[in-house]
Amino acid sequence: GANDQYRLGPAIDRWVDPAAPGANAATTMVSTTEGNVKVAMKATDLGGGRWRYDYAAMNLDFARAQTEGAEPNLRVLRAQGFDNFTVPVGAATVTDLVFSDGDLESANDWVPDIRDGRLTWTSSSRTNTLNWGTMFRFSFIVNQAPATGAVTMHVAADSTREVLRFDSLLTPEPLARQAAVA
């Protein structure tokens, strides 16, 4: 009909349709008792053996609340989502790194780092974590075609190493080699 451009659901599903992602694209959702998070991605063949990887991470409603006190004087100190995003890249040469959080403040951009075959963007401050209702974009170019892999996001909570793992995505480093490195 005339209004078929309107659809219920998160914006990320308009970029990569979960029912029909298309070639070199994928999307996956992780649901926990604390909320739901989606990651979608597209890999674009730039020619000459170079590929651009674009990832969108959307925190639908995940929050790790840190509180003090007890009812009826319970105080929420923080209710944050995630403070890093990691893509396995293996030995690929990585260039053209892009982070976008939807604002024009470069001072709060997440900082990329490549170590041990992994590209990780990390929040530069507690004030710009990937909280519920927000979506961030991560992009880079490598000399490696896509393979089935997994990305991770670290939960932004004090004293935790907990990560959510998003399987069935495409990454420069195949899952079999990721397991061997980890």
Side-chain angles (χ1 to χ4, degrees):
N3 287 329
D4 62 357
Q5 74 271 23
Y6 298 108
R7 274 193 234 160
L8 292 176
I12 195 169
D13 290 348
R14 292 295 292 224
W15 184 53
V16 176
D17 183 345
N24 296 318
T27 183
T28 189
M29 184 161 86
V30 171
S31 295
T32 73
T33 57
E34 295 171 290
N36 304 282
V37 187
K38 271 195 161 184
V39 175
M41 68 79 53
K42 289 183 180 179
T44 305
D45 187 347
L46 302 175
R50 295 177 34 154
W51 288 79
R52 185 179 66 239
Y53 288 77
D54 291 295
Y55 294 86
M58 185 169 191
N59 183 344
L60 300 171
D61 58 5
F62 180 99
R64 170 75 51 93
Q66 293 176 293
T67 61
E68 74 178 12
E71 294 286 351
N73 299 315
L74 183 66
R75 181 171 170 221
V76 176
L77 302 175
R78 282 190 294 281
Q80 295 179 306
F82 302 91
D83 60 9
N84 85 18
F85 181 83
T86 300
V87 179
V89 294
T93 301
V94 180
T95 63
D96 300 86
L97 288 94
V98 175
F99 167 80
S100 177
D101 56 6
D103 66 24
L104 299 175
E105 261 185 74
S106 59
N108 72 5
D109 284 356
W110 287 22
V111 179
D113 182 45
I114 301 171
R115 187 176 303 148
D116 300 325
R118 293 177 184 90
L119 167 56
T120 300
W121 278 270
T122 304
S123 174
S124 58
S125 73
R126 286 265 191 215
T127 60
N128 195 29
T129 53
L130 180 61
N131 297 331
W132 65 270
T134 57
M135 181 167 58
F136 291 171
R137 182 176 75 91
F138 308 88
S139 179
F140 56 93
I141 294 175
V142 294
N143 58 344
Q144 185 72 38
T148 300
V151 303
T152 59
M153 291 171 51
H154 179 262
V155 176
D158 293 339
S159 305
T160 186
R161 296 182 58 149
E162 188 179 349
V163 296
L164 291 190
R165 180 181 160 123
F166 298 83
D167 292 315
S168 304
L169 290 173
L170 300 174
T171 61
E173 185 72 356
L175 195 57
R177 281 209 302 256
Q178 290 176 39
V181 173

